[in-house]
Structure formats: C-alpha cells, structure tokens
Amino acid sequence: MIKPLISLAAMLALALPAAAQEEPQGAPSPNEIVGQAAPEEWIAIAPEDLLVMTLAPADDGTERKVVIQLMPAPFSQGWVENIRTLARTRWYDDITVNRVQDNYVVQWGDINYDNPEAEGEAKLLPDGLRVMEVKDYAPDVPLRSFSSTGGPLKSDDYAERVGFVGSIPVGYRIYSPPPGARLADFLTQAWPIHCYGMVGVGRGYSPDTGSGAELYTVIGHAPRHLDRNIALVGRIVDGMEHLSSLPRGNGALGFYTADEADKRTPILSVRIASDLPEGDRPSFEYLSTGGETFARYAEARANRRDPFFIVPAGGADICNIPVPIRRAGE
Amino acid sequence: MIKPLISLAAMLALALPAAAQEEPQGAPSPNEIVGQAAPEEWIAIAPEDLLVMTLAPADDGTERKVVIQLMPAPFSQGWVENIRTLARTRWYDDITVNRVQDNYVVQWGDINYDNPEAEGEAKLLPDGLRVMEVKDYAPDVPLRSFSSTGGPLKSDDYAERVGFVGSIPVGYRIYSPPPGARLADFLTQAWPIHCYGMVGVGRGYSPDTGSGAELYTVIGHAPRHLDRNIALVGRIVDGMEHLSSLPRGNGALGFYTADEADKRTPILSVRIASDLPEGDRPSFEYLSTGGETFARYAEARANRRDPFFIVPAGGADICNIPVPIRRAGE
C-alpha cells in the first residue's frame, strides 16, 4: 500500500456546502480503525528489505525517490538475492524506465538488454546471479506461516484460497495432508498476488525466469492472471506516484518508441537501505496481519459502514484489503 | 477498455536476445481472438452516447482529448440526461481537474462548487437537472437484458452474480420469480461495476445523489466497495492516459492544495459527439458480449494459454475481462 487510505467521509468535508451538513452517524472507517492499533501491532521492515530507487528529478527539480519493500521469506528469495547483488554492484545505476502501459505496468531496466533494436551495448551482468526455476514462483509453505487465512476472504476467481503470509497477500491451495499431520503442518502451495504496486521480475518465454535485472510494478487493476506465472519480489511502499504518473509509451505494450527516447525516465541509483548512511535510511513498518486490528480493518474494508456509504458490500477481494504500511514514527 | 490489449507474447519479442528464441506453440491470446471477430459482432456506440472532453494541451502543446461512452439504458439515465444538459449549456467549459488520488480516482468539476474554501463564486447550475434517488443506483432489470451471465464468471466478493448487460459489466441478484414467470422475465436488481476507467458522479453524504456536475474516473484497482453506493454514468474509451498520468495531489484524498493550483488541469470543453460537426465526431464500437467471439475471449482471459503463460488461472474477475472497444474503422 502506498499511502494510508483516507476515508471518503473526509473528502466530503471538502464537498459540503458552506453551511456544513451534520456528519451522519456511522461506524469508523478502515483507516480510523488502523489509527487505533496498538504500537506493538506495527512490525518494522528490516532495512535489508528496503530498496531506495532514485529517479532523475522531476522537470521542476523536485526529488523523486521510490521505496520498495523486498519480498520476505519464503517467497522469491533467489530473485531477491539477485536484486541485492545487482544493487550492490551498482548495475541498476543509469538504467531507465522503458515501458509505461496504462492499466497495466511500469517497467524499468537496461534499454540495451535483450533488445534486438539496441543502439548500445548491453550492460554486463554481475557474477553470482542465481538462476531460478519455474517451481520457485509458487513454493510449498506450511499453513502455520499464514497470519490470516479467513475472515472476509475465502476463495476467488484465481485461487482456491487467499490470505496473508506476514505482510504479503498470497493465493494458495492446501495439499492433502500427510497421515497424522497436525493442521499447522499442512502444506500449501502458495504464491504472492499481483496487487497494485507489487513489483515483479521481467522474463523471456518460459523456462526463462528472469534474473531481477528487469523489474516492473502494477499501475492498474490487479492483473491476477500473472500470478504463478512470473516472480513477484516486492512492493512499492513510498513514491508510487513517481511511477504511476509517468507518460504512457506510444509503442506496442506501452514501450517508449525510438522517438520517445527523451521520455525514458533515468534511474540514477538503487540502494539497499541498510547500505545507506543511517541518516538517509528510510524506515517503514506494516500492520501485523495476525492481529486484532487488522482483522477489524479487513472486515471494515469488506463492509463499509462509515458515513459516506449506504450498502456494505459483504466482502472484499484481497487487493482491496491492502496491508497498511507507514513510515516509522508517523 | 481504453486500448486494445496487446499480448505479452509481443512484448517478449522486444525482450528476446538478438538470436531470437523460437516462439513456442500456444493458443491464441485474448486479443488475437478479438481480432478474429466477424464485423457484425461489433456494435456501434451511438454518437448521442459519446462525450468528447478536451483538456488544455499538454506542456509540449499536444492536444488532449478524452472520449467517454455514456451509460446506456437501463442504468443511470437520469444522471446521463443531466450530463447532456450540462454539456449542452456549456456548464463544463472551464472547469478543472481538482483531485488525483493514486490507486483511486481522478475527479473534475467546478473548484468553487460546494467548497468551503472557495475563492470564487460557484458556477450556476442550469435549470432542468433531475434529482435522482438512491434506489436509482441499482435498478430492477429483467434477466433477458443480460447478454452474458455465465462462462467463467459467477459470483464474486461483491455480488451474488456478475455479468454483462450490453457493453456494461454489472453485478446483480435475482429476485424470487413471481409465480408462473418465465426465466427471461425474472427480475434482477443490477448495478454497474467500478472497473478501471468507469466514470461516476461525485456526491455529498446520502441522500444526496449528485447531479453530474462533479465526475470521477477510476485509475487504479477496481474500488468495488463503491458499487451500489454511487452512480456510474459511463466509461473512458479513449484518452485515458491523459487523466491517469496526471500528477497526484498532495492534499487529503489527492485533492490539489491551494499552492498546487497550477496543477489543476483545465477542461476546455465537453461536447456530445452528435452535436459536433460530422468530421469531428469520434466513432467507437464494442464487441457484442452476447456473441461467440466474446465468449471465447472471456474464456481466454480466464485461462491464458498463449505462449508467455505457464499456469492458466481457471477464472477471471469481471474487471479483468474488459469489453473490447475500438475506433470504428480499425
């Protein structure tokens, strides 16, 4: 999630006549519920799990930084290690945003990488990148890893079940348990879900799985058909607007054409937060999905009873229950 | 839908090494299926049902036009008539985009309308605007109106059932049929769905239902919790990128603050296509949702077997089956 959700009731305060309407009685909004969480319900994201991607400044000179939470174990760790290698060897420095496709993705990488129309040499990849396998898109995960498996979420069009492993929305299916197994040991096959702002690894045709050199983020309706078909390695937690507001490319699939070369936003650097001087290190935390507040928040997302609403939906899809994330100290 | 979907297989053509990989065998992509539709499966959108919204030119001088398909009967016709009245009385001329909230909406209207911090006079609304009721968000619709009710779509987290009435994605529930009723006469309560690019009517607290003076469009993951709570009056069919790429507002809910006044994109005019000179009149058509091609297209959206994919999902949410829309003559 990019910014805290703000209740539409607050919006209406800007749309009410000067002789303001009485705010009608209603239940707290999902954001108000999150605001009531106890401090211990907020879990720090380790600085090793945060990337700071600095884009070229905007036309008016303002700084543009994007912060990415890297996928925690047990998902995608080989690709995540590759991303740390690419960041530490400065391979990402001076790459560009090459593709912006409306209602789909922003994608960035080396414009000369795997490009038959390349005008320059591809950047040499660093040694030591792991080659991942297709099976790594959806690993086995014991059911005990799940902090939230029920509530208003059950199955959807894309997965037998949906839930949360820590801060990550996942789809999963439960294997037939081995004889005598306890419930917590049941195995699931689980995979992260392509919600808005999630970050994934561009690849060629399977069995290529991508290294992490080419990354993308979702800027529209969740393209769930990509789940299990490509690796997800994180989520944008700050600065999403610097990517989602980029001009769309005129080429096929939103790639910038040759005469749009000036639209390719330069990426000046990508650094792991723990490698930055302490004063430059961003600090983020997420609301525990195993806690009582998250359960109430999820239920309120599924049943809006705050003043603006008339008909509670009775359910919510998993990408409409974004895990609250905030800068530490907010 | 904003642009025709382009197969990711084509994208991969740009990501393959110079010694190009063999394109693996696979089924046609959803877009390829659409390309095979017979001419008679494409249904023209009447020019009375198209709005042309002209924004101020971009910084580099390029023209920015947004085309909106107005909601067809039986949905939201009172609000749609108001929109035609507002367009014909030129009320929309010189309004502005006032709100851009990431992963949510772009909203436009009169900056002085219902605004306690207004610096100017609100524009006088024209006579003859209809006052709509809450019940009009979700009218009764006979089941015979539905062109597509099954296939990979059944129920979802937000509606007992989902389907299509003509070109419009809807949620619905079936009433207990009156005794002796034939299936086609069964009544549903149905409502349009907040997919990406759908256009809705800003309102105050209920029972205010909004007139159509204030409009918004969805620029992120479908906010289905708004279904049945607010009127949907159309969908962006062209030029979506001119709205979705706008800078996000720094104020609450993505409103531009007072010192961001220069970011408020002016809207120069909104015209009904049938009121424009014939040479200026855009012409769009949609793929019939009752036809054989749409059924195959929807099945392919739910089960991607084109070369890029490994695991077909086995289902798709309704907003991931956008109704194909194209300029006539493409």
Side-chain angles (χ1 to χ4, degrees):
Chain A
M1 194 185 77
I2 316 308
K3 289 198 221 285
L5 294 165
I6 303 175
S7 162
L8 277 167
M11 166 183 84
L12 268 310
L14 290 168
L16 294 173
Q21 284 176 290
E22 276 289 310
E23 179 164 319
Q25 293 301 309
S29 70
N31 264 17
E32 286 164 348
I33 291 169
V34 169
Q36 296 164 6
E40 57 268 23
E41 293 188 273
W42 289 95
I43 300 176
I45 297 170
E48 303 76 57
D49 289 345
L50 289 172
L51 291 182
V52 180
M53 182 163 79
T54 303
L55 311 180
D59 288 344
D60 65 359
T62 51
E63 193 177 67
R64 291 187 290 186
K65 286 188 188 294
V66 176
V67 182
I68 299 170
Q69 173 196 11
L70 290 172
M71 187 67 66
F75 302 108
S76 306
Q77 292 303 288
W79 287 284
V80 167
E81 276 313 309
N82 286 354
I83 287 169
R84 291 199 183 93
T85 299
L86 289 157
R88 291 196 161 116
T89 58
R90 308 285 194 254
W91 189 90
Y92 290 123
D93 291 11
D94 300 321
I95 60 173
T96 46
V97 175
N98 301 314
R99 173 188 184 191
V100 181
Q101 185 174 1
D102 198 73
N103 192 19
Y104 202 50
V105 296
V106 170
Q107 188 169 318
W108 59 96
D110 173 13
I111 189 60
N112 296 312
Y113 180 62
D114 267 355
N115 180 0
E117 299 180 19
E119 293 180 3
E121 290 291 314
K123 296 178 69 160
L124 203 60
L125 290 169
D127 292 334
L129 293 179
R130 294 185 53 181
V131 176
M132 302 298 288
E133 298 178 53
V134 167
K135 67 175 178 59
D136 297 319
Y137 296 147
D140 289 347
V141 178
L143 197 55
R144 81 170 73 82
S145 306
F146 286 72
S147 47
S148 176
T149 55
L153 304 171
K154 298 182 176 64
S155 69
D156 66 18
D157 293 298
Y158 295 93
E160 272 185 32
R161 293 165 189 262
V162 291
F164 295 89
V165 173
S167 62
I168 305 301
V170 302
Y172 66 103
R173 61 185 194 89
I174 297 181
Y175 288 112
S176 303
R182 296 173 305 160
L183 184 63
D185 296 330
F186 281 22
L187 273 183
T188 75
Q189 188 194 22
W191 55 90
I193 283 177
H194 273 81
C195 296
Y196 187 94
M198 295 295 282
V199 175
V201 175
R203 63 165 176 81
Y205 288 119
S206 204
D208 179 38
T209 53
S211 63
E214 186 93 0
L215 297 174
Y216 65 87
T217 189
V218 174
I219 61 162
H221 185 71
R224 295 285 302 279
H225 49 285
L226 291 177
D227 296 350
R228 285 186 282 179
N229 283 287
I230 197 165
L232 283 168
V233 285
R235 140 178 57 204
I236 310 286
V237 298
D238 197 60
M240 181 68 182
E241 64 275 14
H242 301 312
L243 298 173
S244 56
S245 65
L246 290 175
R248 278 49 179 155
N250 286 333
L253 300 167
F255 280 93
Y256 294 121
T257 60
D259 50 357
E260 294 182 295
D262 59 324
K263 289 187 187 168
R264 291 190 192 117
T265 301
I267 290 166
L268 304 182
S269 67
V270 176
R271 300 285 178 266
I272 304 168
S274 51
D275 292 346
L276 292 172
E278 207 171 327
D280 294 342
R281 203 177 290 172
S283 184
F284 284 83
E285 52 194 13
Y286 68 92
L287 186 67
S288 167
T289 54
E292 191 246 330
T293 300
F294 184 82
R296 290 176 51 223
Y297 158 78
E299 198 281 338
R301 290 293 297 170
N303 292 282
R304 299 296 295 267
R305 300 187 187 87
D306 37 311
F308 185 79
F309 291 85
I310 308 159
V311 182
D317 67 278
I318 193 162
C319 292
N320 258 324
I321 307 183
V323 176
I325 294 178
R326 66 181 189 186
R327 273 192 191 272
E330 275 181 1
Chain B
M1 197 183 74
I2 316 310
K3 287 198 220 290
L5 294 166
I6 304 175
S7 162
L8 276 168
M11 167 183 81
L12 269 311
L14 290 167
L16 294 174
Q21 285 176 293
E22 275 292 310
E23 179 164 318
Q25 292 303 309
S29 70
N31 264 17
E32 286 165 347
I33 291 170
V34 169
Q36 297 164 6
E40 56 269 24
E41 293 187 271
W42 290 94
I43 301 174
I45 298 171
E48 303 77 57
D49 289 346
L50 289 171
L51 292 181
V52 180
M53 179 163 82
T54 303
L55 311 181
D59 287 345
D60 64 0
T62 50
E63 191 177 68
R64 290 188 291 185
K65 287 188 188 294
V66 177
V67 182
I68 300 170
Q69 172 195 13
L70 290 172
M71 187 67 65
F75 301 109
S76 305
Q77 293 303 288
W79 286 283
V80 167
E81 275 314 309
N82 287 353
I83 287 169
R84 291 199 184 94
T85 300
L86 289 157
R88 290 196 162 118
T89 57
R90 309 286 195 254
W91 189 89
Y92 289 123
D93 292 11
D94 301 320
I95 60 171
T96 47
V97 175
N98 301 315
R99 173 188 184 192
V100 181
Q101 185 174 0
D102 199 73
N103 192 17
Y104 202 51
V105 297
V106 170
Q107 189 169 317
W108 59 97
D110 173 13
I111 189 60
N112 297 311
Y113 181 63
D114 267 357
N115 179 1
E117 300 180 18
E119 295 179 3
E121 292 290 312
K123 295 178 70 160
L124 204 61
L125 290 169
D127 291 334
L129 293 179
R130 293 186 54 181
V131 176
M132 300 300 289
E133 298 178 54
V134 167
K135 67 175 177 58
D136 297 320
Y137 296 149
D140 290 347
V141 178
L143 197 54
R144 81 170 75 81
S145 306
F146 286 72
S147 46
S148 176
T149 56
L153 303 172
K154 299 183 175 63
S155 67
D156 67 18
D157 293 298
Y158 294 93
E160 272 185 31
R161 294 165 189 259
V162 290
F164 295 88
V165 174
S167 63
I168 305 302
V170 301
Y172 66 103
R173 62 185 192 89
I174 298 180
Y175 287 113
S176 302
R182 296 173 305 159
L183 183 63
D185 296 329
F186 281 20
L187 274 183
T188 74
Q189 187 193 21
W191 54 90
I193 283 177
H194 272 81
C195 296
Y196 188 94
M198 296 295 284
V199 175
V201 175
R203 63 166 177 80
Y205 288 119
S206 200
D208 179 37
T209 52
S211 62
E214 185 93 359
L215 298 173
Y216 65 89
T217 188
V218 174
I219 62 162
H221 185 71
R224 296 285 303 277
H225 49 284
L226 292 176
D227 296 351
R228 287 185 281 178
N229 283 285
I230 196 164
L232 282 169
V233 286
R235 140 177 59 203
I236 311 284
V237 298
D238 197 60
M240 182 67 182
E241 65 275 15
H242 301 311
L243 297 174
S244 55
S245 66
L246 290 175
R248 277 53 177 152
N250 287 330
L253 299 166
F255 280 92
Y256 294 121
T257 59
D259 51 357
E260 292 182 296
D262 58 324
K263 290 187 186 168
R264 292 191 191 116
T265 302
I267 291 166
L268 304 182
S269 66
V270 176
R271 300 284 179 267
I272 304 167
S274 51
D275 292 346
L276 291 172
E278 206 171 331
D280 294 342
R281 204 176 290 169
S283 184
F284 285 83
E285 52 194 13
Y286 68 91
L287 186 68
S288 168
T289 54
E292 190 246 330
T293 301
F294 184 83
R296 290 175 52 222
Y297 159 78
E299 198 281 338
R301 288 294 296 171
N303 292 282
R304 297 297 293 267
R305 300 186 186 89
D306 38 310
F308 185 78
F309 290 85
I310 308 159
V311 183
D317 67 279
I318 192 163
C319 293
N320 258 323
I321 307 182
V323 175
I325 295 179
R326 67 181 188 185
R327 273 191 190 274
E330 275 181 1

